[in-house]
Amino acid sequence: MSSLKTRIQKHNSTVIKTNMPPGPFIAKNPQVIAVLDAVSFPILFDTSKVEKYNVLDGTFLPSLSFTGGHRVCAYLDPSETKHTALKSYFMSVLASKHSEFIPLFRSCLSQLFVSIEDGIASHKKANFNNLGQAMSFNYIFRLFCGKDPSETAIGSKGPAIADKWLALQLGPLFTLGLPKFLKYVDDLLLHTFPLPFFLVKSDYYKLYDVFYASSGPILDKAESFGVTREEACHNLVFLACFSTYGGLKVWFPAMIKWVGLSGEKLHRQLADEIRTVVKEEGGITIQALDKMVLTKSVVYEAFRIEPPVPFQYAKAKEDIVVESHEAAYKIKKGEMIFGYQPFATKDPVVFDHAEDFVGHRFVGEGEKLLKYVYWSNGRETVDPTVEDKQCPWEGYGGASVQADVGGVLPPLRHV
Ligand code: HEM
């Protein structure tokens, strides 16, 4: 995204016209208006002014074969009745799992650290990212299906299948990281033609069948929201493999990296806060997490400095005037708006030392800045509803990850 930075400097503006991949055989129109500061970015959340129809991945929609022929919830605009049905259904599923999030996440994390230590003991090394991905998949599978994936026909293949399925859908957005003079290789291989579903079809249906067979009680609930079991199950696979597995795969290592790098002093302060609250509350519970103001701030700070889903898109429903810190811009009806979130959440006008990880940033008065944390596709101070496109995991997400910082993060165990 260094090209965006150059353009901001060249035009002396944080709202600019640009093109985004993929090319014209995949996307009808690659032109976007990029909103790249904390003030203009939230136009993407205002569903009275912007439409969120089929824009999850940007200027193109992957083949619906990847989702069993259905437009899953994340592709739907809030004005569609199906969006209301699916989002209410998933909000109710998440609410029914409320008491399971934290104990389950902690149990999966303990298993992760056992696997890491086993790897180190027997091979002198362990691949944190691979083990972390397996943990994320196990977590979401156990949450929705009530059993470990190893007890089903997919065994330990879930993460590999999810990776392949994700890569084929999102391929048009990737770059191979080749030198500039080989850019045409990227364009030819990834940005010209969509990657076909048949390459993952049999694996996808293996996954689907396992979810269908194992998530009975959740699927039973779907019918009362006007959603068939089949459509609910394709949505469930999408939630598990795209939203959660895809989200945690990026988020979890980033979180560990930032907290790990944050220095001994902060580690000690975190450990003190966590020990004190755990003693008072008798364990890591939702109430206990709420009292851990520093731990919460650290989690928000990691969401701010490296938002797990950096791109957001929306189409102007009408002519809109969008404001940045210094100017106002007219966006015409039908134009695509693109937000690159790390520029918005590291806006130096809003955040001091915006490029630095500041653990205490959101403590005390700093809480006022939470409205500029956008990881969930909405402000951190706002709760998701069926009328918006904010991630329904907002609220649970922070708490689960906080449970990880609070419970078993390795640096903290030794301070
Ligand atoms: C680290 C994990 C996660 C991250 C980073 C994340 C992030 C996001 C983001 C950025 C969006 C908005 C996409 C857009 O419209 O541009 C979204 C939407 C959504 N997320 Fe999450 N999410 C995570 C986990 C989850 C989980 C665990 C669930 C549910 C089990 C979930 C369910 C959804 C749903 C249903 C939507 C669509 C909302 C709507 O259509 O109104 N997400 N998520």
Side-chain angles (χ1 to χ4, degrees):
M1 285 297 132
S2 57
S3 64
L4 284 178
K5 220 166 218 161
T6 317
R7 280 165 154 268
I8 292 177
Q9 280 153 2
K10 185 171 161 205
H11 300 285
N12 193 22
S13 170
T14 48
V15 180
I16 51 177
K17 240 186 194 157
T18 186
N19 283 347
M20 287 301 285
F25 288 113
I26 305 180
K28 273 198 207 119
N29 183 1
Q31 243 187 28
V32 298
I33 312 288
V35 285
L36 303 169
D37 62 77
V39 175
S40 59
F41 190 93
I43 188 65
L44 293 161
F45 311 148
D46 186 349
T47 47
S48 69
K49 294 193 177 133
V50 300
E51 184 189 86
K52 296 282 290 184
Y53 184 90
N54 291 347
V55 296
L56 178 75
D57 300 329
T59 53
F60 78 106
L61 174 71
S63 161
L64 293 183
S65 312
F66 286 101
T67 46
H70 296 280
R71 284 175 61 239
V72 290
C73 185
Y75 292 142
L76 305 177
D77 185 74
S79 63
E80 298 177 74
T81 44
K82 187 49 83 53
H83 178 267
T84 311
L86 283 168
K87 195 163 183 184
S88 328
Y89 165 54
F90 281 115
M91 286 169 96
S92 130
V93 169
L94 286 177
S96 71
K97 299 277 172 190
H98 188 254
S99 60
E100 293 172 45
F101 280 108
I102 290 174
L104 184 58
F105 200 68
R106 295 201 64 204
S107 136
C108 291
L109 277 164
S110 302
Q111 187 51 51
L112 168 67
F113 287 111
V114 170
S115 310
I116 290 174
E117 277 165 16
D118 283 354
I120 291 172
S122 49
H123 302 103
K124 296 204 166 49
K125 60 180 181 186
N127 185 319
F128 178 80
N129 284 1
N130 289 349
L131 294 169
Q133 283 168 26
M135 183 283 290
S136 302
F137 188 85
N138 280 9
Y139 167 64
I140 198 64
F141 193 88
R142 283 172 65 183
L143 186 68
F144 286 149
C145 299
K147 59 168 94 156
D148 199 276
S150 62
E151 295 167 43
T152 71
I154 51 164
S156 60
K157 292 199 192 110
I161 298 177
D163 282 341
K164 187 168 157 193
W165 174 78
L166 283 168
L168 290 170
Q169 284 174 80
L170 299 177
L173 299 176
F174 294 164
T175 55
L176 297 171
L178 300 170
K180 219 171 180 183
F181 71 98
L182 288 176
K183 190 182 156 302
Y184 69 92
V185 178
D186 259 356
D187 287 342
L188 195 67
L189 290 182
L190 295 175
H191 303 155
T192 308
F193 302 105
L195 301 170
F197 172 64
F198 76 81
L199 296 174
V200 71
K201 183 174 176 182
S202 74
D203 279 339
Y204 175 76
Y205 277 98
K206 255 183 230 157
L207 208 56
Y208 173 87
D209 288 343
V210 162
F211 268 90
Y212 196 90
S214 315
S215 60
I218 292 185
L219 299 181
D220 291 344
K221 223 178 183 192
E223 276 155 15
S224 61
F225 287 86
V227 179
T228 64
R229 293 175 76 84
E230 189 228 356
E231 184 166 9
C233 191
H234 285 292
N235 270 275
L236 200 60
V237 175
F238 191 88
L239 271 196
C241 299
F242 194 110
S243 309
T244 313
Y245 173 74
L248 286 177
K249 185 180 153 89
V250 182
W251 164 244
F252 189 53
M255 172 75 204
I256 301 275
K257 173 188 79 184
W258 286 110
V259 179
L261 290 174
S262 65
E264 219 174 284
K265 186 171 167 209
L266 184 68
H267 294 169
R268 203 167 303 116
Q269 290 167 334
L270 283 169
D272 284 347
E273 175 180 89
I274 292 158
R275 284 195 195 112
T276 311
V277 176
V278 166
K279 210 170 185 184
E280 280 165 19
E281 295 290 322
I284 294 197
T285 58
I286 293 271
Q287 294 88 301
L289 293 176
D290 206 40
K291 281 185 157 184
M292 297 178 190
V293 284
L294 177 60
T295 314
K296 260 200 287 191
S297 172
V298 161
V299 172
Y300 293 137
E301 179 63 348
F303 271 127
R304 178 197 74 84
I305 202 161
E306 196 166 337
V309 183
F311 304 108
Q312 262 87 47
Y313 288 84
K315 211 172 246 181
K317 268 185 185 173
E318 53 190 62
D319 289 355
I320 303 173
V321 174
V322 67
E323 293 187 9
S324 71
H325 291 293
E326 290 97 17
Y329 302 84
K330 190 164 173 189
I331 297 179
K332 290 201 206 91
K333 179 176 175 179
E335 282 186 310
M336 183 68 103
I337 309 170
F338 156 67
Y340 184 59
Q341 204 184 123
F343 283 12
T345 54
K346 289 193 281 183
D347 182 335
V349 179
V350 171
F351 293 107
D352 292 337
H353 306 288
E355 298 287 335
D356 298 336
F357 184 88
V358 180
H360 289 79
R361 192 183 293 280
F362 299 105
V363 174
E365 275 294 292
E367 263 192 59
K368 288 191 186 139
L369 291 173
L370 277 178
K371 64 176 182 207
Y372 298 111
V373 176
Y374 302 145
W375 74 269
S376 65
N377 196 37
R379 295 183 188 273
E380 196 57 40
T381 44
V382 170
D383 291 330
T385 71
V386 294
E387 278 100 44
D388 62 35
K389 289 292 286 176
Q390 190 174 9
C391 176
W393 202 48
E394 194 274 343
Y396 305 107
S400 305
V401 186
Q402 210 186 323
D404 134 34
V405 179
V408 283
L409 196 68
L412 299 185
R413 290 193 296 171
H414 304 296
V415 287

